[in-house]
Amino acid sequence: IRTTRALALVQSSEQVERPWYQGDQGIYGTKDIPTSLEDPRLALYPVSQRKAILKNLRNRKEDPNIKILEKCAITSRVASSFIRIGHFDLYARRAVQMLTQQQEKKYHDDDTRATTADKWKELTDMVWHTCYREFRNEAYEPFYGNSDIGGAASKLLEMSAERLGEMVSQWIRVGFAQGNFNADNCHVAGLTIDYGPFGWMEEYNPTFAKWTGSGSHFGFLNQPDAALKNYEILVESIVPVILLAKNHLSSTTDTITKLMKEEQDKLAEQYLINAQHIFQRKQKEIFRLKLGLSRDNAIGDELWKELAVLMSETRVDWTLFWRQLSYVADDFIDNYHGGDEERKGLDTRERMLEALMRHPQSMSNPFYEALEPVHHQQYLDWMQKWKDAVDAEEAKRVLTNARTINEINNAIPAIGERMKLVNPKYVLREWMLVDAYTAANDGDYSLLKGLYTLIQNPYDEGSMEEQKKYYVRAHDEVLTAGGIAFMS
């Protein structure tokens, strides 16, 4: 994920009181709520109700209710500047406001007209600056020499839609939630910025976010919708520039406001429809690739749709599930990679599910609790559909290319290897970071340095020590701990 954020952090000797969560017991959080079906406080409830209660407790997001004393620190941004959609929103509002006042004859003197022209120049300068900074080859070089601001602005919108769609689809791929994805925190060219309340998802939740103020609209799978809303603001800010250029008008022409009202909605709708198609296509492509299929294989859409329901009904770790599925592909999706005949037997589904779980008691098992019989059967059925879909694509690849199996093997990586390139083994889970900076606060930087090394190669297998320490589910208490599971 591309990013522009870089900070220098200096700790001071001062201390300050800050809000915190009552009952916090170190890095694994509160101990005063039930975390097990066997908790005696749940004894009066049937099992189904106990599960619902525990799920609600895990998902609850409480505001801090006590104060703690903590050391202060000063942060200083050391990265280069970047361009937010919020910048365009500001310049466009100023320009349109002045133009509207002028058209309504509230201000019709020469000074007001000059001010209006200045505001529009600020907006058009911002367009050129963005084209030069972010899309030089596509939106600046072909248009600046001819002073074609309309063409440049249009290309800027096209490129921004592509970049934003790519960014949010990659967020979903790795289980990342930005947490506060409004226009002020959205880079025009699709860079990940201002991720203060960010987090990587542990247990799958389609509306996951670390920040208690995120709401479902900034939740994990809703991030493409949030991106589209931000893009809508960008469109509304830039379309007036395109219309002025298209109609060869200046910012002081008396008919501009009427013209904009007639054409702006229609033109904006065209850009938004195009962006929506881009965002939907990229999100579908990501899930197809995560499943080991080609990005244009629509069978993956139905597979993901069915899997999403299963994952919502069972407690499953996002990162571990996809990585373990990659290992299943290594062992079982191999009809064209020298697999033995016995793997085509009736027990294949059970063996695949066992491989997915690795070992029922292992912390690398993606499931937080044993599957109910109905879900066990549904996962078996799904895994057979998945295997059939990947096998069918591989068979088609051979027939289409009319090449031998050996040639296919030599030209294209095995399916499991392809899946590992899009399904990371390691992500920076919050509890990992808390462990590292807690130790660092006591003068031990070994965990911090170890994490830094680990995350340079998140798709590699890692050492045995790294796997034992970091290729694991979160402990149940971590999933409810204030400051780790969620933050305010």
Side-chain angles (χ1 to χ4, degrees):
I1 301 175
R2 301 169 67 209
T3 179
T4 63
R5 172 71 79 175
L7 293 176
L9 179 65
V10 180
Q11 183 174 289
S12 74
S13 59
E14 298 178 356
Q15 291 185 317
V16 67
E17 285 191 333
R18 63 167 294 185
W20 201 244
Y21 307 85
Q22 188 173 23
D24 188 43
Q25 303 286 331
I27 65 169
Y28 292 123
T30 177
K31 302 288 187 181
D32 61 352
I33 63 172
T35 59
S36 167
L37 290 173
E38 308 306 320
D39 191 292
R41 288 170 289 179
L42 301 178
L44 296 178
Y45 299 95
V47 173
S48 59
Q49 251 184 291
R50 292 185 210 176
K51 289 185 176 181
I53 291 172
L54 290 178
K55 187 171 184 178
N56 288 335
L57 289 172
R58 285 194 300 270
N59 292 335
R60 74 177 187 176
K61 295 183 176 181
E62 297 178 340
D63 289 329
N65 59 354
I66 60 172
K67 296 279 190 178
I68 64 170
L69 198 63
E70 196 165 74
K71 293 179 180 179
C72 296
I74 300 172
T75 62
S76 174
R77 188 192 303 270
V78 295
S80 59
S81 62
F82 47 82
I83 303 169
R84 310 163 184 258
I85 288 179
H87 287 145
F88 275 98
D89 187 30
L90 175 63
Y91 285 118
R93 285 175 184 271
R94 289 173 176 172
V96 172
Q97 181 182 35
M98 289 300 300
L99 182 60
T100 301
Q101 291 174 346
Q102 178 182 307
Q103 298 301 312
E104 292 175 351
K105 306 300 182 182
K106 289 183 179 180
Y107 304 97
H108 52 272
D109 55 273
D110 291 340
D111 287 343
T112 300
R113 289 176 180 272
T115 301
T116 301
D118 288 343
K119 296 302 179 185
W120 276 95
K121 186 175 185 303
E122 288 179 354
L123 179 58
T124 56
D125 284 350
M126 190 66 180
V127 171
W128 283 124
H129 176 66
T130 303
C131 290
Y132 181 83
R133 278 277 302 272
E134 307 297 343
F135 312 110
R136 188 176 307 179
N137 293 333
E138 301 89 353
Y140 184 82
E141 297 292 352
F143 303 102
Y144 187 73
N146 298 325
S147 298
D148 183 3
I149 184 67
S154 180
K155 179 58 71 172
L156 186 160
L157 289 177
E158 292 176 15
M159 295 298 299
S160 182
E162 284 286 341
R163 295 277 187 88
L164 289 174
E166 180 68 16
M167 177 181 69
V168 292
S169 66
Q170 295 298 331
W171 286 356
I172 290 172
R173 179 176 66 82
V174 298
F176 178 87
Q178 197 270 358
N180 190 23
F181 193 36
N182 54 37
D184 284 343
N185 295 331
C186 184
H187 194 284
V188 171
L191 300 180
T192 302
I193 63 172
D194 281 8
Y195 43 83
F198 79 94
W200 271 270
M201 182 167 57
E202 306 256 8
E203 182 179 344
Y204 173 68
N205 179 350
T207 58
F208 161 81
K210 286 285 186 185
W211 181 38
T212 58
S214 291
S216 61
H217 53 288
F218 291 146
F220 179 59
L221 284 184
N222 290 334
Q223 291 180 118
D225 293 334
L228 186 62
K229 191 65 179 178
N230 293 337
Y231 181 74
E232 182 179 356
I233 293 173
L234 182 66
V235 169
E236 291 172 351
S237 301
I238 293 181
V239 158
V241 175
I242 298 174
L243 290 178
L244 259 66
K246 175 184 175 183
N247 292 281
H248 306 290
L249 299 174
S250 72
S251 61
T252 57
T253 304
D254 289 339
T255 58
I256 289 179
T257 302
K258 180 180 178 181
L259 179 68
M260 286 185 183
K261 289 178 179 178
E262 293 173 348
E263 295 190 37
Q264 184 167 349
D265 288 347
K266 182 178 179 181
L267 183 57
E269 184 180 13
Q270 294 174 10
Y271 285 108
L272 290 173
I273 290 174
N274 179 63
Q276 189 172 32
H277 289 160
I278 290 172
F279 289 9
Q280 290 174 347
R281 170 175 55 81
K282 287 184 176 292
Q283 187 171 354
K284 288 178 179 179
E285 288 175 353
I286 281 298
F287 283 116
R288 294 167 185 173
L289 293 173
K290 287 179 75 66
L291 289 163
L293 299 166
S294 60
R295 66 175 62 247
D296 58 351
N297 191 337
I299 293 176
D301 304 343
E302 193 60 35
L303 283 171
W304 162 242
K305 183 179 179 181
E306 187 175 336
L307 178 61
V309 173
L310 271 176
M311 295 181 81
S312 296
E313 294 177 351
T314 54
R315 298 187 58 202
V316 58
D317 184 278
W318 179 259
T319 302
L320 292 178
F321 178 89
W322 289 106
R323 187 69 176 197
Q324 285 300 117
L325 193 65
S326 305
Y327 297 139
V328 174
D330 277 340
D331 292 335
F332 295 94
I333 312 294
D334 57 3
N335 289 347
Y336 298 99
H337 298 277
D340 52 58
E341 290 300 318
E342 67 176 281
R343 290 184 176 176
K344 299 177 182 179
L346 297 177
D347 66 340
T348 301
R349 297 182 307 166
E350 286 284 1
R351 294 179 62 196
M352 287 195 295
L353 187 54
E354 288 177 5
L356 180 71
M357 294 180 182
R358 195 169 188 176
H359 186 282
Q361 304 306 318
S362 169
M363 285 298 289
S364 297
N365 176 1
F367 295 104
Y368 283 84
E369 55 191 26
L371 296 175
E372 295 287 346
V374 62
H375 290 134
H376 182 93
Q377 184 61 49
Q378 288 171 340
Y379 271 108
L380 291 179
D381 294 342
W382 181 86
M383 295 197 76
Q384 186 63 56
K385 293 177 185 177
W386 167 66
K387 182 181 186 303
D388 291 344
V390 179
D391 283 343
E393 181 174 289
E394 289 298 287
K396 183 178 179 181
R397 197 195 309 274
V398 172
L399 292 174
T400 301
N401 290 280
R403 297 153 73 187
T404 67
I405 293 175
N406 286 334
E407 288 174 330
I408 292 292
N409 287 344
N410 292 331
I412 303 172
I415 298 164
E417 293 303 312
R418 299 204 304 267
M419 291 177 67
K420 291 172 194 172
L421 294 176
V422 294
N423 296 315
K425 184 166 186 175
Y426 304 102
V427 294
L428 285 174
R429 300 168 185 263
E430 194 69 22
W431 57 267
M432 295 161 58
L433 296 171
V434 172
D435 283 349
Y437 69 64
T438 299
N441 189 57
D442 294 331
D444 179 2
Y445 292 88
S446 60
L447 287 178
L448 188 63
K449 292 177 180 178
L451 275 184
Y452 177 79
T453 300
L454 177 74
I455 212 62
Q456 301 304 305
N457 300 288
Y459 300 92
D460 289 357
E461 294 302 326
S463 67
M464 291 301 296
E465 181 181 357
E466 288 170 334
Q467 293 181 54
K468 184 177 180 180
K469 186 183 296 184
Y470 297 124
Y471 188 59
V472 293
R473 299 190 311 269
H475 294 280
D476 281 340
E477 55 265 34
V478 170
L479 298 176
T480 60
I484 302 179
F486 54 90
M487 61 191 73
S488 63

